[in-house]
Amino acid sequence: MIKVLKVVGILLITALLGLAYWTWHPSGQNPSAAELSKEANNYQAEIIRDSWGVPHIVGDTNADTSFGLAYAHAEDDFETIQETVAATRGVIAQYRGKDAAPTDYMVQLMNVWPTLEREYKNIPNHVKSIAKAYAAGINLYAAENPGTTWRGLAPFTDKDVIAGFMFKTPFFYGLDKPVTALFEGKADLELALAPDQESMAWTVTESPLFERGSNAIAVAPLRSTDQKTRLLINSHQPMTGPVAWYEAHLHARRGWKIQGGLFPGTPVILHGFTPNLGWANTVNHIDLWDEYLIEVNPENPNQYKIDDQWVEFQRREITLLVKLFGNFKWPAKREVLRTVHGPVIESQGQLIALRYAGMGEVNQLEQYIRLNQANDFEDFMAAMELQYLPSINYVYGDKAGNVAFIHNAQYPKRSEGWDWSKVMPGNKSELIWRGYRPFREVPKLVNPKSGLVFNANNTPFSATDGPDNLQSSEFPESMGLASNQTNRSQRLIELNDGVTLISEEELLRQKFDVEYSVNSKFYKSLKNVIELDLSEHSELQEPQDIIRDWDRKVDIPNRNAAMAISVLREFHHNDSEDDSDEEVILAALKGAREYLLANYGSLQPEWGEVNRLKRGDFNQAVSGGPDVLRAIYSRGHDADERAYATAGDTWMALVSWDADGQQEAKVLHQFGSATLDETSKHYADQAALFVKEQWREATFDIEKIRSQAANTYNVGTRAPK
């Protein structure tokens, strides 16, 4: 027995040593500080921090400002920048563990790096120069702060920057939705029939109840009480994390002059304004992906059928290193398949290939650079005509009085007549679309008769309150244009009549509107609650009465809003498909009742007690709610957990130009410029302004900014010319 135990012990030790060997993957060393900071010798930037800590970057060239921006942003949020780079490289699971592994797999599935390596030589040098300068700024900060630099992640490169756009931009139109549905086995795999067998039956899935959105409004001089052009920039993003807005101002003496919002890892302004023009972005709900059912050769699983021919799959084995603890990482091996359609996912026993807008695109950064450099409407439209960005609406305004709405996307050139909302037969090469519709076919509305354009993630056929809206009959169904209205778009329609002049005060009143339309999906859901017979559920009659008495507003003192919104949240959290079902309504009322009593001790707490903006020691009531124009989305709805604002209104701007082209600009951030430093006075110094709906002045006057600066310093060591 002792010998057996010894043998078992030896085998166990051997197995453990083998497992340790198999999982031991120490991260590489970062280069020395001297090596990391070497490229900084090529750049010179002045960073002016104003009294709010916002960085104003001054440089001779665009590359200099990109370099300075990277350094300044790293000072405020180096951790998230590194997280963004690691995710883009497909190695985030090495640092964050198994929960991050799906991100690494998506990078591989989308073929980001093989595509970039193949196409890198074709990327214009001026684009590479901006990306290289940004990487040099990050590397300089890493050299000066080795203790906060993730082991093995440095050096940062221009390819990291370019790949970041390649990886992230498709997710802004919702590419994650079909991918997730396929992996989870929840996708509808009904096959589309040939056009002669079934008429077109295009359907667009309605947006989830609490889907985040954005607002954008432009008012032309003819519609303004004071003949000014006004542009409201109001994107709704998470308040923290890799797609939270960071505010900056870029001033190149021989280049762009622009300020606005950007994300970690971004060397340009994504939406904002110059002295001459500005634009706001909103997410558009367009069907920009297609699924194909792949027919596998029953005699050879390495082949699939195209036009009666058996073709070999492209197969690539990948290894995802997933952090266990310390330097121990589990090497998870996976196989990635591709067909001529695109990446392949196994779902419900079938192989489904995915083809999507932005697949194989490497030039997104070039289009953003062109937008940042635009001086007038002609420049702006020339930049839009590049069509390197797979989606996102643009609402535009400028000092010449132009306003415009562009329902921007890379629209696939699909064959007409097929129902592209269903799974397409994968064995017909004619159905594999190649290329996109030209920019002239992209829905756009320029200088409408009413002088007002807007978008709140709604249909492009409702972009103005005048007589010249775009018509669905003008566009082929294969473009997959949505017909939805959000509560926010419905309120904008209700608040405007096509003729009444709009003052700045009125525009702001609309922006901070806190009401739900009677035509909104929200209120229709609650009507089902109000009309339900609860005579056999006496404990739920009081919650029902509270909702019945609600005025559809989410203002701070409102005592009925908490119950109404809590019921809506129960519908959302329970993933209810039918909010008219009696059992669903009863469960929602019960859940809302229990939640409010457990956390607030009342069925009618003030909305301001429930709806809070929390940041460090700051914790105050804020008006607004999900899908109202004053958009606030909260997280936290467990039985013992209070909710706090986590998304919605974040960085905002209101820009105007008078008849002489003189600009006024107001901006506001929900927290402050110090993204992660809780000890900084700029960690939450704008939060009080945010809840009071007050603004800060913005200017392009560098001398004025410099004279009022709280801190000014230089980075880079290039000798001045």
Side-chain angles (χ1 to χ4, degrees):
M1 177 62 72
I2 294 176
K3 289 183 177 180
V4 171
L5 290 176
K6 285 183 177 179
V7 171
V8 171
I10 291 171
L11 291 175
L12 180 60
I13 291 171
T14 302
L16 290 173
L17 289 173
L19 180 63
Y21 176 79
W22 177 252
T23 60
W24 178 258
H25 290 275
S27 300
Q29 294 285 344
N30 289 325
S32 66
E35 183 66 21
L36 280 175
S37 62
K38 182 172 61 176
E39 290 300 315
N41 296 330
N42 298 321
Y43 308 99
Q44 181 74 44
E46 178 188 23
I47 300 175
I48 306 171
R49 296 274 186 175
D50 62 24
S51 59
W52 297 98
V54 174
H56 304 258
I57 316 298
V58 181
D60 190 45
T61 66
N62 293 342
D64 288 325
T65 63
S66 178
F67 166 77
L69 170 64
Y71 187 90
H73 200 170
E75 289 181 301
D76 291 326
D77 200 2
F78 187 43
E79 185 74 2
T80 310
I81 291 174
Q82 292 185 97
E83 189 172 43
T84 298
V85 171
T88 297
R89 288 185 187 173
V91 298
I92 187 67
Q94 296 185 33
Y95 300 95
R96 297 297 195 221
K98 63 182 180 62
D99 290 343
T103 299
D104 290 348
Y105 184 76
M106 278 301 302
V107 173
Q108 299 289 348
L109 189 72
M110 294 170 68
N111 219 33
V112 171
W113 287 92
T115 301
L116 178 56
E117 295 298 338
R118 183 182 68 247
E119 299 295 332
Y120 181 77
K121 63 182 180 297
N122 297 321
I123 297 173
N125 288 333
H126 76 274
V127 175
K128 294 176 183 175
S129 70
I130 298 296
K132 288 178 179 178
Y134 186 88
I138 299 298
N139 284 326
L140 176 60
Y141 185 85
E144 296 174 354
N145 298 272
T148 62
T149 304
W150 293 8
R151 186 182 176 93
L153 196 61
F156 305 94
T157 72
D158 61 323
K159 291 182 179 179
D160 291 322
V161 177
I162 296 168
F165 286 92
M166 295 171 60
F167 178 53
K168 286 184 289 189
T169 50
F171 292 101
F172 279 94
Y173 65 75
L175 182 62
D176 54 310
K177 296 174 185 176
V179 172
T180 301
L182 287 169
F183 275 120
E184 294 181 352
K186 296 179 180 179
D188 182 358
L189 299 184
E190 182 181 357
L191 192 67
L193 300 178
D196 58 348
Q197 295 175 276
E198 183 181 79
S199 61
M200 192 68 172
W202 189 274
T203 57
V204 177
T205 303
E206 289 191 26
S207 302
L209 196 62
F210 284 86
E211 185 166 7
R212 298 162 191 161
S214 300
N215 306 324
I217 306 172
V219 184
L222 65 89
R223 190 66 184 277
S224 298
T225 55
D226 52 6
Q227 293 76 55
K228 290 184 177 180
T229 306
R230 287 193 173 86
L231 174 68
L232 175 70
I233 304 172
N234 181 205
S235 170
H236 302 159
Q237 289 295 119
M239 292 185 175
T240 59
V243 287
W245 290 118
Y246 180 75
E247 180 185 356
H249 169 197
L250 307 181
H251 180 97
R253 299 182 190 91
R254 295 188 292 145
W256 53 35
K257 294 168 181 60
I258 187 169
Q259 53 188 295
L262 58 121
F263 298 145
T266 304
V268 289
I269 299 298
L270 300 182
H271 74 169
F273 56 98
T274 75
N276 299 336
L277 57 84
W279 69 89
N281 291 134
T282 66
V283 171
N284 45 27
H285 298 292
I286 307 169
D287 189 328
L288 297 175
W289 63 80
D290 292 304
E291 297 158 349
Y292 297 82
L293 179 63
I294 300 303
E295 181 181 350
V296 181
N297 188 343
E299 298 180 0
N300 183 353
N302 293 318
Q303 295 180 331
Y304 65 97
K305 181 176 283 188
I306 286 287
D307 296 335
D308 298 324
Q309 298 292 321
W310 294 112
V311 181
E312 295 286 328
F313 283 104
Q314 297 178 41
R315 294 180 179 271
R316 183 162 56 95
E317 186 175 79
I318 62 171
T319 300
L320 306 178
L321 292 179
V322 182
K323 182 177 181 179
L324 300 175
F325 55 88
N327 285 321
F328 290 94
K329 303 179 181 73
W330 183 260
K333 294 187 179 298
R334 295 290 185 271
E335 187 174 57
V336 176
L337 293 183
R338 293 184 71 86
T339 64
V340 292
H341 314 77
V344 174
I345 299 172
E346 183 175 357
S347 182
Q348 303 173 52
Q350 305 280 0
L351 290 185
I352 305 296
L354 194 63
R355 194 168 187 80
Y356 56 91
M359 187 171 72
E361 182 63 73
V362 300
N363 291 305
Q364 296 91 339
L365 178 55
E366 180 180 359
Q367 184 163 350
Y368 275 118
I369 290 172
R370 288 279 298 274
L371 288 169
N372 278 227
Q373 295 178 148
N375 288 312
D376 54 27
F377 185 58
E378 184 178 352
D379 286 350
F380 179 83
M381 292 300 280
M384 292 303 303
E385 194 169 356
L386 293 175
Q387 288 190 282
Y388 296 147
L389 300 176
S391 71
I392 301 294
N393 294 315
Y394 282 77
V395 171
Y396 170 94
D398 67 25
K399 73 176 185 179
N402 296 302
V403 298
F405 163 72
I406 304 171
H407 199 52
N408 174 68
Q410 292 177 323
Y411 290 93
K413 290 182 178 178
R414 295 171 171 136
S415 298
E416 295 299 330
W418 288 81
D419 184 351
W420 288 87
S421 66
K422 296 177 181 176
V423 177
M424 306 303 293
N427 58 4
K428 298 177 180 293
S429 62
E430 66 191 66
L431 296 179
I432 305 173
W433 49 263
R434 304 181 190 281
Y436 306 106
R437 293 179 176 274
F439 185 65
R440 66 177 180 274
E441 298 180 15
V442 171
K444 58 183 78 70
L445 184 61
V446 179
N447 293 326
K449 293 177 182 178
S450 76
L452 174 70
V453 292
F454 63 82
N455 188 266
N457 312 107
N458 56 294
T459 174
F461 309 127
S462 180
T464 184
D465 60 348
D468 45 356
N469 261 308
L470 302 174
Q471 301 297 314
S472 60
S473 59
E474 299 172 350
F475 302 93
E477 291 184 83
S478 65
M479 290 180 75
L481 301 176
S483 59
N484 67 300
Q485 295 285 5
T486 62
N487 177 71
R488 290 167 289 114
S489 65
Q490 286 169 327
R491 286 296 294 156
L492 287 171
I493 293 169
E494 293 166 0
L495 291 168
N496 294 286
D497 60 9
V499 294
T500 301
L501 298 182
I502 302 172
S503 65
E504 180 177 302
E505 292 73 23
E506 172 59 20
L507 181 58
L508 289 176
R509 186 178 75 84
Q510 293 187 25
K511 190 276 141 299
F512 292 111
D513 181 72
V514 293
E515 187 171 334
Y516 289 96
S517 169
V518 293
N519 297 313
S520 67
K521 181 179 179 181
F522 284 78
Y523 190 65
K524 290 177 181 177
S525 295
L526 291 175
K527 280 188 69 177
N528 294 326
V529 177
I530 294 170
E531 294 170 357
L532 184 65
D533 181 5
L534 293 178
S535 57
E536 297 182 4
H537 303 275
S538 58
E539 77 283 3
L540 299 181
Q541 290 177 355
E542 184 178 1
Q544 185 187 52
D545 290 340
I546 292 171
I547 295 173
R548 183 179 289 112
D549 293 339
W550 183 44
D551 62 0
R552 308 192 315 278
K553 295 181 180 179
V554 280
D555 49 320
I556 288 174
N558 199 305
R559 285 196 173 273
N560 296 331
M563 179 60 70
I565 301 302
S566 293
V567 167
L568 290 169
R569 282 181 176 148
E570 288 293 328
F571 285 146
H572 176 66
H573 289 303
N574 294 337
D575 197 23
S576 305
E577 295 183 2
D578 184 4
D579 52 20
S580 66
D581 181 83
E582 180 175 347
E583 293 302 317
V584 170
I585 294 174
L586 293 176
L589 277 168
K590 181 180 179 181
R593 180 180 182 275
E594 293 175 351
Y595 173 75
L596 291 175
L597 288 176
N599 288 279
Y600 304 98
S602 171
L603 296 181
Q604 291 182 281
E606 283 195 356
W607 180 238
E609 186 180 352
V610 178
N611 207 50
R612 313 285 294 184
L613 185 72
K614 189 173 185 290
R615 175 78 160 171
D617 295 332
F618 183 92
N619 186 350
Q620 289 189 17
V622 61
S623 65
D627 202 28
V628 294
L629 287 163
R630 174 43 154 168
I632 298 291
Y633 298 85
S634 300
R635 184 178 63 198
H637 199 61
D638 294 339
D640 59 349
E641 183 180 11
R642 289 193 173 200
Y644 296 97
T646 57
D649 282 356
T650 47
W651 180 83
M652 298 182 283
L654 178 61
V655 190
S656 65
W657 293 269
D658 66 17
D660 296 323
Q662 295 299 307
Q663 183 185 72
E664 293 180 358
K666 303 175 181 180
V667 295
L668 180 59
H669 192 280
Q670 77 281 1
F671 292 144
S673 64
T675 307
L676 296 180
D677 185 2
E678 296 185 30
T679 66
S680 170
K681 67 178 182 179
H682 303 304
Y683 184 67
D685 57 342
Q686 296 185 53
L689 296 179
F690 184 84
V691 299
K692 295 176 183 177
E693 300 171 1
Q694 297 176 348
W695 301 78
R696 303 169 11 241
E697 177 190 2
T699 180
F700 282 97
D701 187 336
I702 286 297
E703 293 310 315
K704 181 178 180 180
I705 294 169
R706 189 179 281 114
S707 68
Q708 298 174 356
N711 188 20
T712 301
Y713 50 100
N714 293 298
V715 292
T717 57
R718 188 188 67 211
K721 294 182 180 179

